Amino acid sequence: MKRPSKSQDELGVDTAILITYDREDAIGEALGLCDAAGYRVAHTVRQKFLKRPKYGMSSMALEELKKTSEKLRPDVIVFDEILKPRQNYNLASELHMEILDRETLILQIFERRASSSESKLQIKLAHLRYEMSRAKERVRLSSMGEQPGFMGIGKFGVDVYYNDIKHRMQAVRTKLAKSGKQRELHRQARRRIGFKIISLAGYTSAGKTTLFNKMTGESGAQGAELFTTLTTTTRRVMIGSEALLISDTVGFISKLPAYMIDAFKSTLEELGYADVVIVVIDAADTSSELRKKFSSCMKTLGELGIEKDKIVYALNKSDLIDAGQIDRKIEILGLEESKKCVPVSAYTGTNIARIKEIIGSIAGVGYEN
């Protein structure tokens, strides 16, 4: 069947059919991921369960998807879960098109967002880790002659294939280690001068970069897109009469595989050296989204070894909800007794002074209103 021609507005934009969970928070996040990767979602398939052995979805749902796919002729099918190589192969064989699972989609977003040489190396390492985790099954499929073109690995034997990936990973890690040493020298220089360090953390698109810009007077890239920031940016911020350094880091996201966090270790390690970590929370999220994202953030911070006594909670976008809703959101997060949870608006500047006051108290520097 010939694919329908795209309208003038759609030229250059790939279309996708999205398969995701039948929950509003899951749908919203999956649509955001597709948008960030450059795909326009032409149709959304909602499923209660996406972990069936053969296709990830039921055979009945797959038959419906075939009909929809033949009608819409999308460029890709996006599957909002982590697929095993066999599942990916089964779906591709039935649908005759490229299947992007959640991991592949996130890697594509990282590629689009990367600008510095270090972030490009981090993404290359994540790609290789992804490839390594699927190497055995891909080689097995290849030996059986079962490999769609986009999954093809050529004539590599399993040992050659493994060793090739390992060597490339080692080369990338060596380059990243050099960048890490350079950053450590910068940190040591800052410590000698006496600078205290603040780091921003939080779920992607919570408004970290907007808050960073408001506090520093910077005008770095910001917006509603996911993963606007992939590299650490450090600038000076005044807390009362003293200068501190504040860093913006890559945002967290639910179901982000451990190897991706590991690939961005050199970016996230700044959090471990900070005197204060500001966790930026999107107050405009629904209650379910709020719980899920906050849990994801705190889990990641825990894995990075961040101490809770140096965390400040900034409930951002408070200008979008009323006072009663703010109190309810703080209660949902279990932070009603915390003196370090502050409703702020990075857009209007509301309570930025209060955040600075708390930072000053934790970092042990003077603050005057």
Side-chain angles (χ1 to χ4, degrees):
M1 182 185 294
K2 185 179 178 182
R3 180 179 295 169
S5 59
K6 294 180 180 179
S7 68
Q8 190 65 38
D9 290 340
E10 295 171 348
L11 287 175
V13 179
D14 286 340
T15 58
I17 289 178
L18 169 65
I19 306 164
T20 187
Y21 288 99
D22 191 16
R23 300 193 316 268
E24 291 306 317
D25 60 329
I27 294 167
E29 182 173 284
L31 287 170
L33 288 171
C34 289
D35 182 61
Y39 296 109
R40 181 181 65 82
V41 176
H43 180 74
T44 301
V45 177
R46 304 182 180 205
Q47 294 286 291
K48 289 184 178 179
F49 192 66
L50 290 178
K51 293 187 178 181
R52 298 184 187 276
K54 190 170 184 179
Y55 301 110
M57 62 198 304
S58 69
S59 297
M60 186 180 298
L62 178 62
E63 289 305 313
E64 288 299 317
L65 178 59
K66 279 185 188 178
K67 295 174 185 176
T68 305
S69 178
E70 288 171 2
K71 179 181 178 182
L72 298 179
R73 306 299 294 170
D75 294 286
V76 295
I77 302 288
V78 174
F79 196 95
D80 189 26
E81 252 304 345
I82 298 169
L83 289 169
K84 294 178 181 178
R86 165 59 71 176
Q87 292 171 314
N88 195 308
Y89 168 74
N90 289 340
L91 282 170
S93 297
E94 292 289 338
L95 298 166
H96 306 292
M97 65 176 57
E98 185 174 5
I99 310 297
L100 300 181
D101 71 355
R102 186 181 176 88
E103 287 184 73
T104 312
L105 190 67
I106 291 172
L107 285 171
Q108 285 194 5
I109 297 169
F110 283 170
E111 283 184 319
R112 285 169 61 91
R113 295 278 187 262
S115 56
S116 71
S117 58
E118 186 175 23
S119 64
K120 289 175 182 177
L121 283 171
Q122 289 167 331
I123 291 157
K124 188 173 182 179
L125 179 60
H127 262 297
L128 290 169
R129 289 286 298 271
Y130 176 86
E131 207 173 325
M132 174 68 80
S133 68
R134 286 153 176 76
K136 282 186 180 179
E137 182 67 10
R138 286 191 176 188
V139 169
R140 191 180 72 79
L141 289 173
S142 178
S143 67
M144 294 168 60
E146 297 180 341
Q147 55 174 68
F150 59 87
M151 280 182 63
I153 57 172
K155 299 293 184 182
F156 285 119
V158 65
D159 292 334
V160 177
Y161 184 43
Y162 257 66
N163 288 334
D164 177 65
I165 296 173
K166 284 181 180 178
H167 289 149
R168 285 187 287 158
M169 284 173 66
Q170 186 55 47
V172 173
R173 283 198 174 105
T174 299
K175 292 177 182 178
L176 282 172
K178 288 180 181 177
S179 296
K181 287 178 182 177
Q182 188 64 40
R183 193 182 291 107
E184 175 59 26
L185 291 174
H186 287 314
R187 276 195 294 264
Q188 290 175 5
R190 292 165 188 165
R191 292 293 185 191
R192 283 196 298 272
I193 296 170
F195 280 123
K196 299 282 188 175
I197 299 172
I198 308 160
S199 279
L200 291 166
Y203 209 85
T204 185
S205 75
K208 297 189 315 315
T209 302
T210 307
L211 182 59
F212 176 87
N213 290 345
K214 179 63 72 172
M215 293 180 72
T216 63
E218 286 287 310
S219 56
Q222 61 188 58
E225 300 89 356
L226 301 180
F227 302 113
T228 303
T229 303
L230 286 184
T231 50
T232 299
T233 304
T234 303
R235 295 291 184 269
R236 193 172 74 160
V237 61
M238 297 303 296
I239 303 294
S241 58
E242 296 193 43
L244 283 74
L245 296 177
I246 185 168
S247 297
D248 190 12
T249 58
V250 63
F252 306 141
I253 194 165
S254 64
K255 294 188 285 186
L256 192 64
Y259 74 83
M260 287 194 190
I261 295 174
D262 180 65
F264 281 84
K265 206 168 191 177
S266 57
T267 297
L268 294 172
E269 70 181 3
E270 293 293 329
L271 294 167
Y273 292 97
D275 297 284
V276 182
V277 175
I278 303 174
V279 174
V280 184
I281 304 160
D282 189 341
D285 278 336
T286 63
S287 297
S288 60
E289 286 179 316
L290 196 70
R291 288 192 189 93
K292 183 191 75 173
K293 292 180 180 181
F294 185 69
S295 174
S296 178
C297 286
M298 298 311 293
K299 180 175 181 289
T300 305
L301 290 174
E303 290 170 353
L304 293 169
I306 309 302
E307 300 169 10
K308 284 192 176 182
D309 60 1
K310 65 180 183 181
I311 296 177
V312 178
Y313 306 95
L315 201 62
N316 192 30
K317 306 182 187 179
S318 60
D319 55 305
L320 301 179
I321 59 177
D322 60 39
Q325 289 176 306
I326 290 172
D327 291 339
R328 173 61 181 150
K329 297 292 175 72
I330 292 174
E331 185 181 333
I332 287 170
L333 298 175
L335 297 174
E336 60 267 35
E337 300 299 323
S338 175
K339 294 181 180 178
K340 296 187 295 180
C341 179
V342 184
V344 302
S345 171
Y347 179 71
T348 66
T350 302
N351 277 343
I352 299 300
R354 176 60 184 151
I355 283 283
K356 288 185 175 182
E357 187 178 349
I358 295 172
I359 290 169
S361 175
I362 297 172
V365 300
Y367 182 86
E368 298 176 2
N369 286 314

